[in-house]
Amino acid sequence: NHLILALWILSISCFGNGFFLIRAKQIEKTIDNTDIKLIILLALLLVPFYFLFTYQFPFQIHTDEILEVILIKTLPKFDPFGLTNYDGYLQARLLEMNFINQLTGQPLSVFNLRTVGALHALMAVIFSFILFRMFSSRLDAFLAALLMGFSHTWIFFSRAFFLRLPPVLLEVIALCIFYKGVVSKCPFYSFLAGVVMGLGFYLYYPARFVILEALLFLLIILFIFNKT
């Protein structure tokens, strides 16, 4: 398994270097200082809803969360390509959760995992703002991200289904990079978007649906630029 992981990283590095050597036109700056201030404001507005009352809001602990804590504590070995007995989920996500939790220096608990989940959810909202900002006005992008951040469903997912959050975060980041690659005609950015999108597939198989979203996204981009 370690050999497969090494070959996987080596192949991505080699292909990435090849695409990087194909130069593209200079990429225009998308995010300015005002947008950064809006991102900070967005985070400040959402932090209380994601990081406070993690046990009570929107609901209390359920059995799956306890099972996930037990799974992380009893992982047999470091095998990011291995499967778990929990609905066939891959070990990679559990390893990531465990790694982030270890950085805090705190013992593994449901509270810590919910905090990590909240961090993933908040980052997904921030990158959604960046994505919206690439092809819409500053106000529209902020309101759209705010609507997503205050969605009861998204807060619910940040509490209970944190294993499904990393794929969403990766797919949003992939779409941001994909947009840059298409607009700037940069093969490296397009390749990098595919790598990040592939990581999302790997972490959660239903995330493969984003291929259709990416194709639709590409058609919208081409339609907008042909129109302008």
Side-chain angles (χ1 to χ4, degrees):
N1 289 325
H2 287 84
L3 177 61
I4 294 175
L5 179 62
L7 291 174
W8 184 66
I9 295 175
L10 179 63
S11 62
I12 290 177
S13 302
C14 291
F15 276 104
N17 182 64
F19 283 111
F20 180 75
L21 295 177
I22 304 175
R23 299 299 179 184
K25 69 177 185 179
Q26 187 175 2
I27 302 174
E28 296 181 0
K29 186 177 180 181
T30 304
I31 303 299
D32 56 22
N33 292 332
T34 304
D35 293 317
I36 294 175
K37 292 177 182 177
L38 285 177
I39 290 174
I40 295 174
L41 176 61
L42 184 65
L44 291 175
L45 290 173
L46 295 176
V47 161
F49 291 89
Y50 284 87
F51 291 95
L52 298 180
F53 311 109
T54 52
Y55 280 122
Q56 295 83 15
F57 178 79
F59 63 93
Q60 297 180 352
I61 300 171
H62 61 92
T63 53
D64 280 4
E65 292 179 275
I66 300 173
L67 176 60
E68 287 154 2
V69 171
I70 295 173
L71 281 173
I72 294 175
K73 289 182 177 180
T74 57
L75 286 175
K77 59 181 179 178
F78 179 80
D79 183 13
F81 290 97
L83 300 176
T84 68
N85 294 324
Y86 178 55
D87 289 340
Y89 281 129
L90 296 159
Q91 287 192 25
R93 281 188 290 175
L94 298 176
L95 291 170
E96 180 220 1
M97 290 291 181
N98 189 34
F99 174 74
I100 297 176
N101 180 75
Q102 287 178 350
L103 293 179
T104 65
Q106 300 294 325
L108 189 65
S109 66
V110 172
F111 173 78
N112 290 344
L113 291 186
R114 282 194 169 195
T115 303
V116 173
L119 179 62
H120 281 83
L122 184 61
M123 291 299 297
V125 174
I126 290 174
F127 276 100
S128 294
F129 168 79
I130 296 173
L131 177 64
F132 301 148
R133 183 67 184 93
M134 287 179 173
F135 52 85
S136 63
S137 68
R138 187 174 287 115
L139 178 61
D140 289 343
F142 182 78
L143 292 178
L146 204 63
L147 182 64
M148 175 183 174
F150 280 111
S151 166
H152 179 271
T153 304
W154 191 238
I155 297 175
F156 173 87
F157 266 69
S158 75
R159 293 287 195 268
F161 298 107
F162 52 81
L163 288 178
R164 293 170 177 81
L165 295 173
V168 176
L169 174 59
L170 287 174
E171 304 311 344
V172 173
I173 294 174
L175 289 177
C176 291
I177 303 173
F178 183 56
Y179 179 86
K180 280 292 187 183
V182 173
V183 172
S184 64
K185 299 180 181 179
C186 178
F188 175 71
Y189 274 97
S190 299
F191 170 77
L192 188 60
V195 172
V196 177
M197 201 174 291
L199 287 175
F201 302 170
Y202 169 68
L203 291 176
Y204 189 53
Y205 291 137
R208 288 174 292 179
F209 180 76
V210 81
I211 290 179
L212 298 178
E213 294 179 355
L215 290 175
L216 178 61
F217 189 58
L218 176 61
L219 291 175
I220 292 174
I221 294 173
L222 294 176
F223 173 78
I224 291 174
F225 276 88
N226 285 334
K227 196 173 181 180
T228 56

